[in-house]
Amino acid sequence: MSVEQPSNSHLQVNSSHPTHITALEQELIELRRQVSRQTLLNQIVQAMRGTLVLEDILQTTVDQLHETLNVSRCLIFRPDGESQMTAHHVSEATAQRESILGVYCDFYRYHHQELSQGEPVVVPQITPNFPDVLIEAAQDCEICAILIVPLLDQNSYIGGISLHQCDQAREWKREDIEFVQAIADHCAIAIHQARLYAKLQRELRERHQVEEALRQSETRFRTVLKHAPLVVFNQDQELRYTWAYNVVPDDDVDAILGKSDSELLAPQEAQPLISIKQRVLTSGIGMREEVSLTINGELRYYDLTVEPLRNSIGDVEGITCAAMDISDRKYIENQLKISLQQKEVLFQEIHHRVKNNLQLVSSLLDLQSQQIDDPEIFALFQASQNRIKSMALIHEELYQFDHLQRINFLNYIENLTYHLIQTYAIHPESIRLHLNIDQDLSLDLSTAIYCGLILNELISNALKHAFKANNYKGHIWIEIYSKKKENPKNKLIVGNNKPTPIELIDFNSPKTLGLQLVRALVAQLNGKLEIKKANNTVFEIEF
């Protein structure tokens, strides 16, 4: 866009008369000049307002100034990526325009302090007494006179407008300087507005990206929830519903918004819910509870999670909840419990019958042994009875114990040792028994039977042989340690305070059938047996 120069033809004086300009005429000329400059300023400002593109605004400015002030070139310099002030816009009428663009000029650096304080640099002529760096810069750009007016954005130096006269010296008039300063102020405003506009555009793009991401996230969220048995909702401090999704029945959100649980549910169902939610509101700590509700006449179960809903400063302003429908799972769990109870009853009955059958066999052996006169054969019958008794006691424990897969081994050992002492000891009161067994020790059925038979043989052996030769008095101890981190195996220790003859602890002797049975049972447990014999006889078994 070009700016028209106001005509001054009416100011010409008739050459046929002597040139005489009165004070009034001088004031009139000055007034017209001001009007002309103001008109040009308005035209440049209007040209700036004709576009929102900063590059176009600044280019229009240098072109108009070049034409209006009739200078060799006009340019606007601004900082580059390295904060060096270089020519960003050069008037298009400049012959060396392309070679000037991007050029750094030492005038800007030399006068940086004055320019940064808002003071213009006015040089009507380059003289030899100028600093060498400025003379060299003037020669490079063919500058004879230069005017530099800074651009200030909120008192911050952001560049400047530079006018060059290349063919001769030039006396820069006060009105020229003021005019360029006025243009510079408008350019600074345009730059500031362009920065704000760019920032706004960037924020709008970022906001659009965030909104789009939220929209996609919400779409995925709703898609997942739509096909999941999950209800989500928010309530305010008065526990009135403010937002909900996937509600039941019939996904009728409007039917619950603004209402409380006491208005939607029966009192016996509403009160537990309100109590849970009120505790979260008061404490600010989330909770997770299982609740039941009647929906469409059907009892439904929900896994309810309640978390405090906080505002921007962290105060609790309500709650946010998620309720997972677990009715199908509860139904399956109940069916499994019923089935498990039935199986437990069945297993208890089986163990009871096995125990009775074993006792029946033991009774038959007892009846048969009463007809035997040979002591050795009688001892064999008695040993068989005790082995059967040890197994019967296992099944009796399982019948009485709540856990059908494992038994309380401490109770079992107490019953077994009492039975053996009563069976074999001539003077039961002279036998001292010491038990050191982990209170929480429990063994599965197979392991318990093997250990019971081992204990039966070792205790019977001590009662029959070790104490018989010592007036039937003695001390028996049983220790069992359950496996732990430092010892990954169970340990069973059975000892007595009497030395047992070597032939009675020889596994290969035909007289020691019981000990051969012990060795076989230890092998079944994948264990290791060690016999320590000195003043005492001690059997240590790890399994």
Side-chain angles (χ1 to χ4, degrees), residues 214-231:
L214 286 174
R215 187 190 64 79
Q216 293 179 1
S217 177
E218 183 177 0
T219 299
R220 290 192 294 267
F221 173 73
R222 289 181 178 274
T223 300
V224 171
L225 287 186
K226 192 66 178 177
H227 302 285
L230 185 67
V231 182

Side-chain angles (χ1 to χ4, degrees), residues 259-309:
K259 296 182 180 179
S260 64
D261 292 318
S262 59
E263 298 173 282
L264 298 170
L265 302 171
Q268 65 272 20
E269 293 185 343
Q271 192 54 46
L273 272 179
I274 294 173
S275 177
I276 294 170
K277 296 172 181 178
Q278 193 62 54
R279 288 204 299 272
V280 174
L281 275 178
T282 304
S283 66
I285 301 173
M287 293 182 63
R288 183 177 178 182
E289 295 285 343
E290 186 177 297
V291 297
S292 59
L293 300 174
T294 302
I295 307 295
N296 290 337
E298 181 184 2
L299 185 62
R300 307 293 294 180
Y301 295 89
Y302 292 90
D303 183 357
L304 176 66
T305 300
V306 185
E307 292 290 339
L309 189 61

Side-chain angles (χ1 to χ4, degrees), residues 348-349 351-352 394-401 404:
Q348 284 181 327
E349 182 62 25
H351 287 302
H352 183 59
I394 292 286
H395 290 280
E396 185 174 5
E397 283 292 324
L398 286 171
Y399 175 68
Q400 296 175 352
F401 197 39
L404 296 178

Side-chain angles (χ1 to χ4, degrees), residues 149-182:
V149 176
L151 296 173
L152 298 179
D153 179 17
Q154 299 179 344
N155 297 324
S156 178
Y157 175 47
I158 60 172
I161 298 176
S162 183
L163 304 178
H164 299 172
Q165 196 66 43
C166 299
D167 52 354
Q168 60 184 358
R170 176 166 178 168
E171 189 68 33
W172 302 101
K173 298 180 181 179
R174 180 176 58 82
E175 58 266 26
D176 291 339
I177 298 173
E178 292 175 351
F179 177 67
V180 176
Q181 284 179 322

